[in-house]
Amino acid sequence: MNKSAMLKLDVESYTVAAQEVLESLETGPEGLRDEEASRRLQEYGSNRLPAPRRRSATMRFLVQFHNILIYILLITAIITAILGHWVDSGVIAAVVIINAVIGFFQEGKAERALDAIQGMLSPQCMVVRNGRRRVMAAEALVPGDVVFLQSGDKVPADLRLFSVKELRIDEALLTGESAPVGKTGEPVSSGAPLGERFGMAYSGTLVTSGQGSGVVTATGANTELGRINAMLAEVQLLTTPLLRQMEVFGRWLSFTIVVIAGLTMIFGILVRELSLAETFLAAVGMAVAAIPEGLPAILTITLAIGVQRMARRNAIIRRLPAVETLGSVTTICSDKTGTLTRNEMTVATVALSERMIEVTGVGYDPHGALCDGDQSFTGEDEPDLLELARAALLCNDAELEEKAGQWTINGDPTEGALVVLAAKVGLEETRQRREFPRTDTIPFESEHRFMATLHHDHAGHGFIYVKGAPERLLGMCARQRHEGDDVPINIEHWHQQVEALAQRGQRVLAIAFGTARPEQKTVDFHHVETGLTLLGLVGIIDPPREEAVRSVALCQSAGIRVKMITGDHAATARAIGAQLGIGDGRASMTGPELDGLADEVLLERAQAVDVFARTSPENKLRLVKALQQAGHIVAMTGDGVNDAPALKRADVGVAMGQKGTEVSKEAAEIVLADDNFSSIVEAVKEGRTIHDNLKKSILFILPTNGGQAGAIIAAIVFGFVLPITAVQILWVNMVTAVTLALSLAFEPPEENVMERPPRDPREPLLSPFLIWRITFVSLILVAGTVGMFQWELHRDVPLESARVAAVNTLVMGQIFYLFSVRHLTSPSYTPSGLAGNPIAVIAVGVIVLLQLLFTYAPPMEHFFGTAPIDGQAWIRILGVGMVIFVVVEFEKFVLRQNERSASSRGTLPSQSSR
């Protein structure tokens, strides 16, 4: 036996008989001898996942500074230090360091996800060695060891089961489906989805009931859990659209500033014949004016405000840039159970011999109606339904309970759905169990696929109730209940009913009845194998969340495609998808079908199909990659370990906070506190709002810098004294960034925020429209600032007062422009445009106070070279600000007219440019 043979066996062991696996591994039910186990431990290594290779903490920290915008900030800090402005230099440096610290901690996210997977392994297990059971460390397990499992155990390695007794295992962390899987030990066909490999128990899963024994077929990195761990380690994190755009913007901005500063120096020396020192200081002043040192802080603060808003909507952000990325999402790949559905099994249909009854109400709330078409009735109106509901209630181990106004189930969710059905029909649980006490039980086992209970009423009559898989019970029934009588069973009719319920995506259970002698105290298999009376069928479904239906429709109106990727059966997935408005109710693909597709075919199918069932971790990861390759920005939801690779790869990974594993939460950028799809949609809306507000902030900040730099360039070109000094430029940048620009982060959503299509992720941060607006407003601010400066000089006021007037003109122009920029093209002279953002009004009050201190406070004269100005100057300053507002509003009016004209001609420009 060699290692390659072992790996091949691990892939195919579920397809062959357990005895064949034992023989291949040269072992038996008595387990390995200690000597052989030691030898195999040397060969295969310990049963633990390999530790990933990681960068040192120092290198992770230094990498955070490798960004063009950070370089610009560092240069700015150095320049301001050279100019002697240590406070400003320290503030800029602090911004750089804070950003680096945040990035340092966020980069550890993937490493924590890997650590969380390590914690999924069982520390101890019950092993058979030398023919005797013993408790030992799971790390010492080797292929060929025999492991004994019982309720509450965590499976320590991948096992091929050879002995089971009522064994049920929760495999949600690998399959995503919350219902425990009954194990049989029987082989299944090659290529069966992991959730249908009934003869296997996988490392990290949890035994919920029963007992079993299995032989270890894979340990450590060779297990299913190890394979996912390897996938997670290999998945490359993608940078967000915003960060990609900021990187391009930073390169463009730095190049532009350097070129303009160089041209300014050359022009000053060659044309104006200024000294090198004078032109250098002017160029430095221009560079300081042009660099938006407040932009990174505004970016971070805007995202942080978005994080707080999303937290109120049950979306917890773990990685700051993910806030904005949500606004770019074009496709949401969602899990089904608990996210799009309630994760509360509900009886939706009851099929009797002569009618199909619809049951209203969802979840475990025992209130609902019974309907047949337009007819509504009670259980007393339909004796056959009443008897079926009683059988479903009594052949049942679940209990319905109300806690703090919430209805919950103690026991199996499917059995809980039957208890709720009985309550809707009108049966009181406690009374029924008291009147018809249980005498004996045949518990449900995967091998026989039914449960039977023996009951006696207080008159001594005995009867048996049976529930189970219809394909099993139909063979056990000779008669059927029909309008109170027992008549010969019509097998063909019931097969048609089973098919009809399955087409609705419902899980079908059959309910049957048998008689027992008064003295009978036990129920055995021979009592129920033949001669039963079929009472009917129930169709059970995990119903869609009502809010999820609305949210899917909202996504589609917003141009976002919603895809369901689930571990459930294809028929169920299609039916739920149709109810949610996902897909057409017919088209779907399964994991095994995806496995056989070439990458180029998968690229086409991933975009065309919206419902994917029985998917594996590889399927989910391939689907995400294919959608990204096609240019989509993908949000992926998940809750299990099997979802972690796709969550990490997606542009936005969204984990479930309530039922999600720690691995999925660590791999994701966002955690939903309520596991609700509608929270994702609200987060997308918030993400779009954040991007709009960032765009408005940039559209506000850059003209400010353009106006300052333009004023200095104009002074050099036209040969007059600088209208504003470098230190005064820093003052304007500092006060406007932390007041006016920051107020834009609090802007409410635009009215059409979820009616427009997602923005193209390839769209540059500055579209042609934004470049025009920045240039246009910059020129207006330059004209107003320089014009005011020259006007004051012609009044023979001191140079210092003329500069203070220029500074106040620049700031006042920004105040008036702030209200215009709140709406990019719609008018801002409405009540909502002027007062719709209370934070902006407060910011204006703060900036006015600061400018009065700047102008008249004696200490400012020392620090900034200021001097008082008179009332006439203030009137002219307010007039310039009003002119700027009117001019920008007129420009917006012209744009709206052009847009209407283009719309009437059918040539409406893309909204993405707006």
Side-chain angles (χ1 to χ4, degrees):
M1 182 179 61
N2 55 53
K3 193 165 186 176
S4 61
M6 187 68 67
L7 290 174
K8 184 174 185 295
L9 177 62
D10 178 44
V11 174
E12 300 177 350
S13 57
Y14 62 87
T15 66
V16 297
Q19 185 58 39
E20 185 177 337
V21 177
L22 288 166
E23 292 173 358
S24 299
L25 295 175
E26 300 177 8
T27 188
E30 71 283 353
L32 297 173
R33 307 291 297 178
D34 285 335
E35 301 80 15
E36 176 62 16
S38 297
R39 186 191 68 78
R40 295 190 184 189
L41 187 62
Q42 292 292 323
E43 180 178 355
Y44 295 104
S46 297
N47 178 34
R48 59 170 176 256
L49 302 179
R53 298 180 61 183
R54 298 174 177 173
R55 286 188 300 199
S56 68
T58 302
M59 184 57 66
R60 275 175 48 205
F61 182 73
L62 292 176
V63 165
Q64 308 307 318
F65 295 92
H66 184 54
N67 180 287
I68 187 66
L69 203 57
I70 298 298
Y71 295 152
I72 294 175
L73 285 174
L74 290 173
I75 293 171
T76 306
I78 293 171
I79 292 173
T80 52
I82 291 173
L83 293 173
H85 303 291
W86 299 106
V87 174
D88 299 299
S89 180
V91 169
I92 297 171
V95 169
V96 172
I97 293 172
I98 290 171
N99 284 337
V101 170
I102 292 173
F104 171 77
F105 285 108
Q106 291 294 343
E107 193 174 313
K109 176 179 64 71
E111 297 178 3
R112 292 193 296 274
L114 294 173
D115 291 339
I117 282 194
Q118 300 278 346
M120 301 297 296
L121 298 179
S122 175
Q124 289 187 321
C125 57
M126 181 74 73
V127 183
V128 181
R129 288 269 180 95
N130 302 320
R132 301 182 63 179
R133 290 183 185 177
R134 67 173 72 165
V135 176
M136 57 179 282
E139 281 192 1
L141 282 179
V142 295
D145 263 326
V146 171
V147 176
F148 176 75
L149 300 173
Q150 60 185 357
S151 181
D153 285 350
K154 187 179 285 186
V155 180
D158 286 1
L159 310 177
R160 177 61 170 91
L161 301 170
F162 59 80
S163 174
V164 297
K165 182 173 178 57
E166 302 177 32
L167 182 64
R168 296 174 71 80
I169 298 180
D170 180 357
E171 298 180 336
L173 67 90
L174 295 178
T175 65
E177 293 306 307
S178 56
V181 179
K183 297 296 181 179
T184 65
E186 297 299 319
V188 295
S189 60
S190 180
L194 188 144
E196 297 178 5
R197 299 175 190 175
F198 305 116
M200 295 293 296
Y202 289 103
S203 178
T205 58
L206 183 67
V207 178
T208 59
S209 62
Q211 299 178 342
S213 296
V215 59
V216 175
T217 59
T219 59
N222 295 327
T223 63
E224 282 290 320
L225 197 62
R227 191 168 55 81
I228 295 173
N229 180 70
M231 291 170 56
L232 189 59
E234 293 170 1
V235 170
Q236 296 296 316
L237 281 171
L238 299 181
T239 185
T240 68
L242 177 65
L243 295 182
R244 291 196 294 268
Q245 292 170 342
M246 289 299 292
E247 185 176 353
V248 173
F249 170 72
R251 289 198 298 266
W252 172 86
L253 184 62
S254 61
F255 174 77
T256 302
I257 291 172
V258 170
V259 169
I260 293 177
L263 292 176
T264 301
M265 284 187 63
I266 294 172
F267 184 89
I269 294 173
L270 298 182
V271 177
R272 293 299 174 193
E273 298 181 351
L274 299 175
S275 67
L276 179 61
E278 288 179 300
T279 54
F280 177 75
L281 287 175
V284 167
M286 194 282 298
V288 171
I291 295 173
E293 59 266 22
L295 185 58
I298 294 298
L299 172 65
T300 301
I301 293 170
T302 303
L303 295 177
I305 292 170
V307 168
Q308 293 177 344
R309 284 177 174 175
M310 288 189 183
R312 290 194 290 269
R313 298 178 183 272
N314 295 308
I316 311 302
I317 308 298
R318 301 186 63 256
R319 189 164 173 249
L320 206 57
V323 180
E324 184 276 337
T325 308
L326 277 169
S328 310
V329 165
T330 61
T331 302
I332 299 176
C333 297
S334 177
D335 187 22
K336 175 182 72 68
T337 305
T339 307
L340 292 168
T341 63
R342 297 174 61 92
N343 198 22
E344 295 178 350
M345 302 304 291
T346 304
V347 174
T349 311
V350 177
L352 303 177
S353 61
E354 77 287 356
R355 68 196 309 181
M356 190 84 81
I357 299 171
E358 304 295 330
V359 184
T360 67
V362 295
Y364 298 138
D365 188 331
H367 299 92
L370 310 171
C371 307
D372 184 1
D374 295 331
Q375 179 186 1
S376 180
F377 54 89
T378 66
E380 294 180 356
D381 301 327
E382 183 59 72
D384 288 357
L385 174 62
L386 194 67
E387 185 63 18
L388 179 145
R390 179 179 290 112
L393 172 64
L394 296 178
C395 186
N396 199 313
D397 291 325
E399 295 180 348
L400 181 64
E401 183 179 8
E402 185 181 14
K403 294 180 180 178
Q406 295 292 322
W407 292 94
T408 59
I409 285 293
N410 297 321
D412 182 81
T414 300
E415 290 197 321
L418 299 177
V419 176
V420 174
L421 169 67
K424 292 177 180 177
V425 171
L427 298 177
E428 201 276 316
E429 180 181 344
T430 304
R431 180 179 177 182
Q432 292 296 316
R433 296 189 192 277
R434 185 173 61 246
E435 290 185 359
F436 306 100
R438 183 186 300 183
T439 308
D440 195 21
T441 306
I442 298 177
F444 178 88
E445 291 187 12
S446 301
E447 290 86 347
H448 50 253
R449 304 173 68 191
F450 69 83
M451 175 183 180
T453 54
L454 173 64
H455 300 263
H456 290 82
D457 62 18
H458 294 295
H461 303 109
F463 47 91
I464 301 170
Y465 287 136
V466 186
K467 75 171 188 296
E471 57 270 26
R472 181 73 171 90
L473 259 66
L474 288 176
M476 299 161 62
C477 295
R479 306 179 71 78
Q480 68 184 41
R481 184 65 53 85
H482 179 74
E483 296 183 352
D485 296 324
D486 289 354
V487 300
I489 191 169
N490 183 348
I491 293 293
E492 181 61 29
H493 166 76
W494 291 108
H495 279 308
Q496 292 175 359
Q497 297 288 71
V498 170
E499 180 64 23
L501 293 178
Q503 287 299 319
R504 299 184 185 185
Q506 298 177 8
R507 178 185 177 188
V508 186
L509 283 180
I511 310 290
F513 166 84
T515 59
R517 298 185 307 275
E519 68 275 10
Q520 182 178 331
K521 300 302 180 185
T522 62
V523 58
D524 297 317
F525 285 98
H526 69 273
H527 293 131
V528 297
E529 285 177 342
T530 59
L532 297 178
T533 298
L534 184 67
L535 298 176
L537 306 173
V538 294
I540 302 175
I541 198 167
D542 182 9
R545 294 177 182 261
E546 294 179 4
E547 63 271 25
V549 178
R550 295 191 296 269
S551 296
V552 169
L554 184 60
C555 280
Q556 292 167 344
S557 70
I560 301 172
R561 193 87 171 261
V562 180
K563 296 181 182 291
M564 180 195 297
I565 305 178
T566 178
D568 212 336
H569 294 279
T572 302
R574 286 195 298 270
I576 293 293
Q579 295 178 41
L580 288 160
I582 301 174
D584 57 6
R586 297 186 299 273
S588 67
M589 292 193 71
T590 64
E593 292 172 339
L594 291 172
D595 290 334
L597 295 182
D599 289 343
E600 57 272 15
V601 179
L602 177 66
L603 189 66
E604 183 270 327
R605 300 300 292 160
Q607 298 178 81
V609 177
D610 289 333
V611 177
F612 298 90
R614 282 313 202 207
T615 50
S616 67
E618 292 90 346
N619 298 147
K620 296 179 181 182
L621 184 58
R622 286 188 71 201
L623 284 170
V624 170
K625 287 182 176 179
L627 291 168
Q628 289 172 333
Q629 185 179 346
H632 292 273
I633 301 296
V634 182
M636 173 78 192
T637 75
D639 56 10
V641 176
N642 61 317
D643 299 314
L647 288 172
K648 182 181 174 185
R649 171 69 189 199
D651 297 279
V652 184
V654 183
M656 303 297 110
Q658 294 180 353
K659 64 187 181 74
T661 61
E662 288 303 312
V663 180
S664 64
K665 294 175 188 176
E666 291 292 347
E669 285 84 9
I670 298 175
V671 178
L672 296 185
D674 58 356
D675 291 12
N676 196 332
F677 182 82
S678 63
S679 294
I680 304 174
V681 179
E682 288 297 326
V684 169
K685 180 179 179 180
E686 189 63 46
R688 290 189 172 191
T689 301
I690 288 168
H691 186 269
D692 286 349
N693 292 347
L694 284 173
K695 184 189 294 184
K696 293 172 184 176
S697 296
I698 292 171
L699 202 53
F700 176 78
I701 290 175
L702 292 189
T704 301
N705 296 99
Q708 295 168 159
I712 294 176
I713 293 172
I716 295 176
V717 170
F718 295 107
F720 54 78
V721 67
L722 292 180
I724 183 170
T725 66
V727 69
Q728 291 170 345
I729 286 172
L730 285 172
W731 164 265
V732 174
N733 286 351
M734 182 174 63
V735 298
T736 57
V738 299
T739 53
L740 301 181
L742 182 58
S743 69
L744 293 170
F746 295 90
E747 282 293 308
E750 299 283 349
E751 290 184 0
N752 66 340
V753 68
M754 290 300 284
E755 297 174 7
R756 63 193 188 214
R759 62 185 176 84
D760 188 344
R762 293 164 295 190
E763 176 190 337
L765 191 64
L766 296 182
S767 65
F769 165 73
L770 295 186
I771 292 174
W772 152 253
R773 173 64 66 78
I774 291 168
T775 304
F776 174 67
V777 176
S778 295
L779 292 175
I780 298 175
L781 288 173
V782 169
T785 302
V786 173
M788 179 59 65
F789 176 70
Q790 291 297 324
W791 183 287
E792 293 300 301
L793 287 181
H794 283 112
R795 290 180 58 213
D796 294 326
V797 302
L799 175 62
E800 290 77 9
S801 295
R803 281 176 169 164
V804 168
V807 169
N808 280 299
T809 301
L810 181 62
V811 172
M812 192 59 64
Q814 292 179 64
I815 289 175
F816 278 91
Y817 176 57
L818 174 72
F819 292 98
S820 281
V821 84
R822 290 191 57 231
H823 300 294
L824 299 184
T825 56
S826 57
S828 295
Y829 44 78
T830 61
S832 63
L834 296 174
N837 182 354
I839 303 298
V841 177
I842 294 172
V844 169
V846 172
I847 200 74
V848 169
L849 178 61
L850 289 174
Q851 284 306 116
L852 290 174
L853 291 173
F854 174 82
T855 304
Y856 298 109
M860 294 297 182
E861 181 179 349
H862 172 72
F863 289 112
F864 296 100
T866 61
I869 58 176
D870 57 23
Q872 293 183 15
W874 280 113
I875 294 174
R876 284 187 289 274
I877 289 169
L878 288 172
V880 171
M882 180 60 71
V883 168
I884 291 173
F885 179 82
V886 171
V887 171
V888 174
E889 287 301 306
F890 180 74
E891 179 249 6
K892 289 159 67 173
F893 171 77
V894 172
L895 287 173
R896 290 195 301 274
Q897 293 300 112
N898 290 339
E899 189 173 286
R900 292 193 185 99
S901 176
S903 177
S904 65
R905 296 194 304 269
T907 57
L908 186 64
S910 166
Q911 285 194 17
S912 65
S913 65
R914 303 299 175 98

